[in-house]
Amino acid sequence: MKITIISTLIVSFLAVQVAAQDAPSKFQNPILSGYHPDPSICRVGDDYYLVNSTFVWFPGLPIYHSKDLVNWQLIGHAIDRPEMVDFSGLPDKLGLFAPTIRYHDGMFYIINTCVACGMNFYVTASDPAGPWSDPVWLPDAPGIDPSLFWDDNGKCYYTGMQGVEDEEWPTQTEAYNQELDLEQQQLVGKRHNLTYGHANNASYTEGPHLYKINGQYLLMVSEGGTGMYHALTVHHSDSVNGPYIADYINPVLTHRHMGEDYPLHAIGHGDLVQTQNDEWWCVMLGKRRIERETILGRETFLARVEFEGQTPVFNPGHGKVLMEQKRPDLPWSPLALIPVRDNFEGDKLDLKWCTIRTPHEPFYTVSGGQLKVQLRPEVMDSLVNSSILVQRILHHQFEAKTQMRFKASKGHEQAGLTVYRTNQNHYKLLKDNDSLVLIKSFKGRASEIARVPYSNDEVVLHVAGSGLDVQFSYGETEDDLHPVGGTQSLRVIADGNGNQFNGPGVGVYATSNGKLSKLMVAFDWFDYKGMD
Ligand code: 6LW
């Protein structure tokens, strides 16, 4: 008996030791790599939910869930029915801007702006994985970047940003507050200016979020625009509608002073969360750079916040976002590894796949372990929904590969692999009836980089990115790949040059280039592998 108790104790002790060893003491930033801008976060009990902006990608507004603020699982999208929004004709930088997610009284709310497609709206859900309600449009709410805040008396406030008439300085904007009557589904009462930003020439004061902390209102906004000068500033008031007084600590977080060559910049657009263990953390966007280029777009980072009085101090002792730091005091909850190969099992695409712009008609099927994509006349160079499916590029060192079966009978029928940023900036490696062609589109100018004869129906297409370089290849099997087109530059999909706000994707594409076609192309599998 004694021996059993002792051995049970030893086994339990070892189990605790193993668990303790498994749980790292630190975490790495970014917590969501690749195209994950404008993060907003909320906590319900010991569950955390996060949403990002997605512009014209569909489905839009991904919802992530986490137990530890470090490991995030994609559980759904707030915009996943084509009737909800229409991105037709919109450039890749418009559409769904910065959302805010909040939980109140048993209901999740996401408030957002669809720029050039209806402006401000909110959706609700009792389960954040969905389904989400149809959008409730708020035609009286000017500007972008809406946020919601419930005061102790149950009143709900809409906090937004808008331009100002008669600007005193260029790019002056304001954060404002107005009551939102959720019964009437509209803004009511007076609109109050909260701040123009803390600096006397603050530019693009945006992304406001309001919190009540120790009985005082805390307003956090971004200033400086979403590039080099991005920053977070905080402002305090005893009354929800202000006046708000800028904290002397401002900017409370920025990398604007780190210089052009610092590898992490554009830190801003943050949202605070308090854990069940009384720690404060902030999620915010930032851009990683290689030789001053940003390939992966705006990513989501996490930083510790400690309050000194009413003042939030970000990563005390460091004052900047860290690539590695002590992780939140929360139960470590790692996720199952995402397999490299998507075998297209079941009858639905994995949540990671998106198309570009609203798909008003179905154009693909998943069955029998194959993804079949309909060739349609639409091309990805136009501002319409073409037969394109992409997933985010999450790493600076990555590989993507797919096995495709496709027998084109006419020259205008093409299908293959794409590295996509916008309708004007992308690569595509396509097979037609007798060849494989690599096309680069940069600032809207398409050029054929290489063409090789190829007549088999089956082909493996491959792309490998490394820093600023990208190399495409092809072969009859995945073990026999031949480079095509030499080393190309990922500057084509880097920020700038017409690439703004969104981020890059890799995936499949099919088109009949303006003519009708009955052809489908079949993909047996698609690999995405990230190395760094
Ligand atoms: C967003 C604004 C911003 O609405 O960029 O970085 C805009 N911040 O707050 C588009 O993501």
Side-chain angles (χ1 to χ4, degrees):
M1 179 67 177
K2 208 172 170 186
I3 291 176
T4 322
I5 293 174
I6 291 172
S7 51
T8 311
L9 283 176
I10 291 173
V11 169
S12 329
F13 175 75
L14 286 178
V16 169
Q17 288 300 300
V18 170
Q21 277 167 14
D22 280 348
S25 58
K26 294 184 173 177
F27 74 93
Q28 260 84 39
N29 265 318
I31 50 166
L32 283 165
S33 62
Y35 173 23
H36 290 104
D38 305 319
S40 172
I41 190 167
C42 73
R43 174 174 74 84
V44 182
D46 51 11
D47 292 289
Y48 296 84
Y49 300 95
L50 187 150
V51 63
N52 298 101
S53 44
T54 47
F55 307 93
V56 299
W57 282 38
F58 188 95
L61 308 185
I63 314 291
Y64 289 92
H65 168 255
S66 176
K67 289 272 187 193
D68 56 18
L69 290 174
V70 175
N71 297 289
W72 291 93
Q73 184 183 7
L74 179 59
I75 57 168
H77 291 85
I79 299 293
D80 62 357
R81 299 184 300 278
E83 322 71 79
M84 294 172 97
V85 288
D86 188 4
F87 304 136
S88 308
L90 296 193
D92 293 73
K93 65 180 179 189
L94 299 184
L96 300 174
F97 272 40
T100 298
I101 185 166
R102 293 290 181 259
Y103 177 80
H104 180 73
D105 228 0
M107 194 60 94
F108 288 87
Y109 293 76
I110 288 182
I111 190 151
N112 192 212
T113 319
C114 196
V115 176
C117 41
M119 296 306 280
N120 293 298
F121 68 91
Y122 64 90
V123 287
T124 58
S126 50
D127 179 350
W132 287 80
S133 71
D134 285 333
V136 176
W137 296 96
L138 299 171
D140 295 334
I144 60 168
D145 290 2
S147 184
L148 291 179
F149 165 72
W150 278 266
D151 210 341
D152 301 335
N153 59 10
K155 281 191 179 176
C156 177
Y157 291 88
Y158 175 111
T159 314
M161 88 74 115
Q162 65 171 338
V164 292
E165 276 174 38
D166 305 321
E167 310 181 319
E168 287 171 55
W169 61 87
T171 66
Q172 180 189 12
T173 62
E174 69 165 347
Y176 71 87
N177 219 15
Q178 194 169 356
E179 198 184 325
L180 172 62
D181 184 326
L182 290 165
E183 291 284 311
Q184 295 186 54
Q185 303 189 325
Q186 62 180 30
L187 297 184
V188 293
K190 235 181 119 218
R191 195 170 294 151
H192 299 268
N193 165 273
L194 304 185
T195 184
Y196 298 107
H198 92 291
N200 64 9
N201 60 351
S203 114
Y204 297 119
T205 293
E206 60 192 8
H209 291 305
L210 201 51
Y211 313 88
K212 197 168 191 178
I213 297 169
N214 300 328
Q216 245 208 350
Y217 299 91
L218 176 81
L219 171 69
M220 185 162 77
V221 301
S222 292
E223 294 178 31
T226 193
M228 179 71 194
Y229 300 111
H230 216 194
L232 287 169
T233 66
V234 288
H235 312 255
H236 307 279
S237 180
D238 291 324
S239 152
V240 68
N241 292 322
Y244 280 84
I245 309 298
D247 195 307
Y248 285 123
I249 199 172
N250 286 324
V252 68
L253 183 68
T254 185
H255 282 200
R256 56 167 65 148
H257 58 299
M258 305 298 283
E260 292 267 339
D261 290 317
Y262 196 69
L264 176 57
H265 81 144
I267 291 293
H269 203 110
D271 198 7
L272 295 169
V273 69
Q274 185 178 24
T275 72
Q276 64 271 33
N277 296 329
D278 272 342
E279 285 182 349
W280 284 89
W281 290 84
C282 183
V283 289
M284 78 283 297
L285 72 77
K287 292 187 190 189
R288 285 186 284 168
R289 296 199 287 200
I290 302 172
E291 292 172 31
R292 296 192 182 181
E293 297 280 2
T294 295
I295 302 298
L296 299 181
R298 299 177 298 168
E299 308 177 283
T300 293
F301 293 79
L302 180 68
R304 180 74 206 267
V305 176
E306 282 177 32
F307 277 86
E308 297 189 356
Q310 290 299 106
T311 297
V313 181
F314 283 65
N315 282 339
H318 300 280
K320 61 178 183 173
V321 174
L322 302 168
M323 294 313 286
E324 185 180 76
Q325 75 182 98
K326 187 164 179 273
R327 71 177 179 85
D329 174 21
L330 292 171
W332 184 242
S333 308
L335 306 169
L337 282 182
I338 297 173
V340 166
R341 179 151 297 182
D342 186 339
N343 281 310
F344 302 121
E345 276 150 16
D347 58 2
K348 280 201 183 82
L349 274 182
D350 187 274
L351 286 173
K352 66 181 177 239
W353 289 102
C354 293
T355 187
I356 309 292
R357 297 184 188 80
T358 315
H360 290 298
E361 55 182 13
F363 66 87
Y364 65 87
T365 59
V366 183
S367 75
Q370 279 190 328
L371 164 66
K372 288 195 179 144
V373 179
Q374 172 71 53
L375 271 72
R376 294 186 294 163
E378 287 77 13
V379 292
M380 71 160 81
D381 310 64
S382 302
L383 301 176
V384 295
N385 175 242
S386 64
S387 296
I388 179 171
L389 289 163
V390 288
Q391 53 178 279
R392 286 166 176 76
I393 297 176
L394 305 174
H395 303 85
H396 285 117
Q397 313 287 331
F398 73 94
E399 263 186 78
K401 196 160 52 175
T402 188
Q403 179 164 288
M404 177 175 93
R405 292 161 197 279
F406 176 56
K407 187 175 176 59
S409 49
K410 316 220 174 59
H412 60 264
E413 294 170 325
Q414 295 180 309
L417 181 73
T418 181
V419 169
Y420 183 88
R421 180 74 191 253
T422 70
N423 70 311
Q424 302 211 323
N425 293 327
H426 52 253
Y427 284 101
K428 44 201 176 198
L429 176 57
L430 303 177
K431 174 170 146 43
D432 57 25
N433 54 344
D434 58 6
S435 55
L436 286 168
V437 56
L438 179 63
I439 298 164
K440 171 171 94 173
S441 293
F442 187 47
K443 298 189 197 176
R445 275 199 33 229
S447 48
E448 192 173 302
I449 292 169
R451 184 179 281 273
V452 291
Y454 194 90
S455 50
N456 272 13
D457 292 352
E458 198 176 303
V459 64
V460 173
L461 303 173
H462 172 258
V463 58
S466 175
L468 299 180
D469 294 337
V470 64
Q471 174 71 61
F472 290 84
S473 52
Y474 71 98
E476 287 186 17
T477 68
E478 53 179 318
D479 303 321
D480 183 26
L481 296 173
H482 312 283
V484 55
T487 305
Q488 299 297 314
S489 174
L490 281 178
R491 285 189 164 89
V492 166
I493 57 154
D495 283 24
N497 299 313
N499 297 323
Q500 205 182 342
F501 296 158
N502 73 348
V506 61
V508 299
Y509 171 61
T511 182
S512 46
N513 286 296
K515 304 200 174 123
L516 287 175
S517 169
K518 290 205 164 65
L519 273 191
M520 303 275 276
V521 49
F523 297 92
D524 296 332
W525 44 259
F526 190 99
D527 288 359
Y528 175 85
K529 189 171 162 195
M531 281 79 83
D532 196 10

